């Protein structure tokens, strides 16, 4: 896709921006050489083939920096939480269900399962057809415990901070790790290492990892 051949900006994340193409399609454009849109799109196509709710992609119209994908209608889970349209317990159960459903998708090139590794409330769109998972650029094959650890660490960092989302994040984390979760010691350790090494983390976010681990362990002991 030619640079600039897009419509208005719809949203921005840490590494990419999403632009309008038309009523049915958007393009997710990585910034500063980050990511591989074609690899991300291939993962999305794979999980969709196995019935998982990821947006449709048009790989033939995409490039390493630009991923053309289905335009979704609905709020993010995070927005629904902050606006009171969704409770933390329900959201945590929904995230757990999405993780379990994903881990039934076979790995593409190795043993294990497909892992998202960034499944949190801002990466779930609540559409009229149900929740859809976006932002697959961290996806890889591996052990599901690492995926559970990654989601838990993201939520716990928010829960131990002093922001307005701390309380609902703690409740959501409790719901995620209930009934029982598939989080393992190795999964948690790996997730903490990955999070600490993530170049998009702020200094404050890295400083919160110790307290986040302590909080997660309180739920692992219950």
């Amino acid at each position: 896709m030619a640079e600039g051949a897009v419509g208005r900006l719809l949203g921005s994340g840490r590494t990419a921006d999403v632009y309008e193409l038309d009523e049915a399609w958007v393009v997710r454009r990585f910034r500063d050489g980050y990511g591989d849109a074609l690899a991300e799109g291939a993962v999305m196509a794979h999980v969709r083939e196995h019935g998982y709710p990821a947006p449709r992609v048009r790989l033939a119209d995409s490039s390493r920096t630009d991923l053309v994908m289905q335009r979704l209608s609905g709020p993010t889970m995070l927005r629904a939480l902050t606006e009171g349209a969704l409770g933390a317990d329900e959201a945590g159960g929904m995230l757990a269900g999405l993780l379990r459903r994903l881990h039934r998708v076979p790995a593409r090139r190795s043993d294990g399962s497909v892992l998202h590794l960034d499944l949190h409330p801002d990466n779930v769109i609540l559409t009229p057809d149900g929740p859809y998972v976006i932002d697959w650029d961290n996806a890889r094959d591996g052990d599901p415990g690492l995926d559970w650890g990654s989601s838990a660490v993201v939520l716990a960092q928010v829960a131990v901070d002093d922001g307005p989302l701390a309380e609902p994040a703690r409740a959501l984390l409790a719901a995620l790790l209930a009934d029982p979760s598939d989080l393992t010691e190795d999964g948690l350790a790996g997730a903490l290492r990955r999070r600490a090494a993530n170049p998009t983390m702020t200094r404050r976010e890295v400083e919160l990892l110790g307290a986040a681990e302590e909080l997660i362990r309180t739920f692992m002991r219950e």
Side-chain angles (χ1 to χ4, degrees):
M1 172 170 293
E3 184 73 26
V6 294
R8 64 189 176 96
L9 178 68
L10 298 176
S12 294
R14 295 189 188 221
T15 61
D17 303 304
V18 177
Y19 295 91
E20 179 183 58
L21 285 182
D22 55 38
E23 293 183 355
W25 300 93
V26 297
V27 59
R28 184 165 183 258
R29 175 168 289 169
F30 284 112
R31 297 190 301 269
D32 304 322
Y34 186 93
D36 185 338
L38 290 175
E40 179 180 3
V43 175
M44 295 166 69
H46 174 75
V47 299
R48 275 189 59 85
E49 288 174 358
H50 289 82
Y52 194 79
R56 299 192 308 274
V57 294
R58 289 180 4 206
L59 290 178
D61 297 323
S62 302
S63 68
R64 189 180 182 281
T65 58
D66 289 6
L67 177 62
V68 178
M69 63 183 189
Q70 177 186 2
R71 185 171 184 171
L72 300 175
S73 174
T76 64
M77 179 185 286
L78 178 60
R79 179 178 170 186
L81 281 164
T82 58
E83 294 181 349
L86 184 69
D89 288 347
E90 183 180 359
M94 189 181 298
L95 282 179
L98 288 167
L99 283 168
R100 291 192 175 99
R101 186 174 173 184
L102 176 61
H103 299 152
R104 292 195 291 270
V105 176
R108 295 171 299 151
R109 302 185 183 92
S110 63
D111 294 333
S113 304
V114 176
L115 312 182
H116 185 278
L117 298 179
D118 200 23
L119 186 49
H120 56 73
D122 213 24
N123 281 341
V124 179
I125 305 294
L126 304 180
T127 79
D129 297 321
Y132 273 65
V133 177
I134 61 171
D135 288 3
W136 292 81
D137 55 290
N138 291 308
R140 53 175 277 193
D141 298 339
D143 185 274
L146 180 60
D147 221 0
W148 282 87
S150 297
S151 293
V153 169
V154 172
L155 294 174
Q157 282 177 293
V158 179
V160 299
D161 205 353
D162 55 3
L165 294 177
E167 185 175 342
R170 183 185 179 94
L172 202 160
L173 178 65
L176 174 72
L177 298 182
D179 191 30
S181 82
D182 292 323
L183 179 59
T184 62
E185 286 288 343
D186 286 347
L188 177 57
L192 289 165
R193 287 194 300 269
R194 284 176 55 86
R195 196 72 172 163
N198 188 330
T200 71
M201 289 292 95
T202 65
R203 181 176 179 179
R204 171 65 175 168
E205 286 171 320
V206 173
E207 290 172 347
L208 291 171
L209 286 174
E213 179 182 3
E214 291 179 10
L215 178 60
I216 293 168
R217 290 191 178 282
T218 66
F219 294 114
M220 293 176 72
R221 290 193 292 266
E222 291 180 357

